[in-house]
Amino acid sequence: MDATLTKRIEQLRHWLAQHDYDALLIPHEDEYLGEYVPEHNERLHWATGFTGSAGAAVITRDKAAIFVDGRYVVQVRKQVPAGLFDYCHLIDEPPVQWAQQQLPKGAKLAIDARMHSAAWYKRTQHTLDGALTLVSVEQNPIESLWDDRPAPLNSPAILLGEEKTGRASLDKRQTIGQQLADQNLDAAVLTQPDAVCWLLNIRGRDIPRLPVVLTQAIIKQSGDVTVFIDPDRLPEGFAAHVGQGVSVAHPDSLVDALQALSGQRVLVDPNGANAWTLDTLQQAQVTVVEAQDPCALEKAAKNPQEIAGMQACHVRDGVAVTRFLAWFDRQVDAGERPDEAVLADTLYQFRQQDDQLVDLSFDTISAAGGNAAMCHYNHNNQPKPSVIESNNVYLVDSGGQYYDGTTDITRTVPVGECSAEIKKAFTLVLKGHIALATALFPKGTSGSQLDALARQYLWQHGYDFDHGTGHGVGHFLDVHEGPQRISKAPNSVALLPGMVVSNEPGYYRADAFGIRIENLELIEEKPTEGDMTMLGFASLTRAPIDRRLVDVSLLREAEIQWWNRYHQTVWDEISPHLDDQDQAWLKQATAPLSR
């Protein structure tokens, strides 16, 4: 058993006894509630050894459990000692439910309210109905026990000019301010760093994969903003860059600024703001209006300059991916069988040849054979990366953060000759991808109304996939951006022109193979012969989809035509940037399909 983790659990139990608490809940999230957590805020990892991107733990006086979803059921058993923790499913047996079963009625469950959304806190209080008492601690015990805690990165802010953003910060702030005024609101508390960075046209490198500075802000209906960040992190020219009406305050002064809103009507997004923020405002007699972050839709619907940047970076990204796929085929043809780590590193090296690359947009999913059946597989969490398997597929899901946009692409490619069953599954996924890519829909349509288009052919054969079909994507921001999405889960957010979403149906057979085809799509207006202007998708991604896995007999003529149009575009835009060897590979990869 891991001695270090054993000691840490003992320390936490001693803390529980000292404060007369019965249990402690440790989520993966930090106070910003984002998908990505900087190293110095990886509290769940410190307590459990688990490195996944979602999960939680509960420590009681005599028991402990860790909770993960289906992506991490294998990984958690390799990283977290069974002698210390029970393994539980995050969705089927949530942490609070488990605690309720383990503890007597009225027991005190300690939480750090900064690590939980206001919506979660309200929902949990209602669900518990006195069965357990949630106690918000003033200081997180892990922060006092974590002796070798890494220092925060605190990267300098990057000023992103209007040639990239397309709008001045002042213009954005005045728009948001007017929206607040129209709703009779005095201010809004912006708790999500990507919203603040979008609003001020800045970026940063505080967190790997997400190009933001960790900051929060308060915006008034006048459009004036107070941003909470160490002034030393702001480069010369910041004031001129953001324009008039921006004040800078140290993060330590946030509580005073929230209290100073006393008596005002203030918007807070309960899903993006932590429970501590809402509680601080309510105690200060602020009238809290719970609503969506006012930056969310403005940020999601890209303006023409942002769209141009997204288009440009997808061409350059497509060049890198195409070079990688050509190199991959040459390795296979030569009898080489590189492992997942080598493949991920090689793809990164191709991307690094672009001087506009800032980072990857997420950890590359480089999955060979049966590993591809785990849709969020990460070879870095395995004892040893697997080598690619002959007569099976290799799946690579990857993306880049560029100064002019964000990319996300998945390709599934054969290693040798694949079975008819794999080709059938691949073609059904492809048909769903094409059905969504070619869909026309009226204004007001949400992503959940389109989701079945991508699943219909899989459903007809008794297949499905257990993830969303599409997520929003930011402009040199979060690769998983809301509020729009395409999934089975109900979502009332209408898709708008300028939004970027992924189109990524898949199919996964446990321990055998996994398939996913992902392009990013731009939503735009489409003329029709009818009396309505419809919306539809324009593919941004520029890289070939592997023709060797297609069973052409399963395709309709319109689907073949889509394939040929898409690949002609890939050839036209990518081939001029390739050397002769890679150009020859792309020529055959984009050759027209026919029956």
Side-chain angles (χ1 to χ4, degrees), residues 340 411 421 485 515:
E340 295 161 333
R411 290 296 182 260
E421 187 66 18
R485 65 179 184 272
I515 293 162

Side-chain angles (χ1 to χ4, degrees), residues 18-92:
Q18 272 186 317
H19 294 82
D20 194 28
Y21 299 141
D22 297 288
L24 171 68
L25 172 57
I26 307 170
H28 177 261
E29 290 79 11
D30 65 3
E31 56 265 45
Y32 299 98
L33 306 182
E35 177 182 7
Y36 299 105
V37 175
E39 188 181 9
H40 73 280
N41 282 346
E42 287 278 8
R43 298 174 180 89
L44 183 63
H45 176 233
W46 178 89
T48 67
F50 177 65
T51 61
S53 65
V58 176
I59 314 295
T60 75
R61 302 279 189 100
D62 56 4
K63 294 194 74 172
I66 185 162
F67 304 79
V68 300
D69 60 30
R71 295 174 290 174
Y72 297 114
V73 291
V74 175
Q75 175 183 331
V76 72
R77 294 176 182 274
K78 296 177 180 178
Q79 293 184 323
V80 181
L84 282 178
F85 290 87
D86 292 340
Y87 304 122
C88 301
H89 196 283
L90 186 64
I91 310 303
D92 297 341

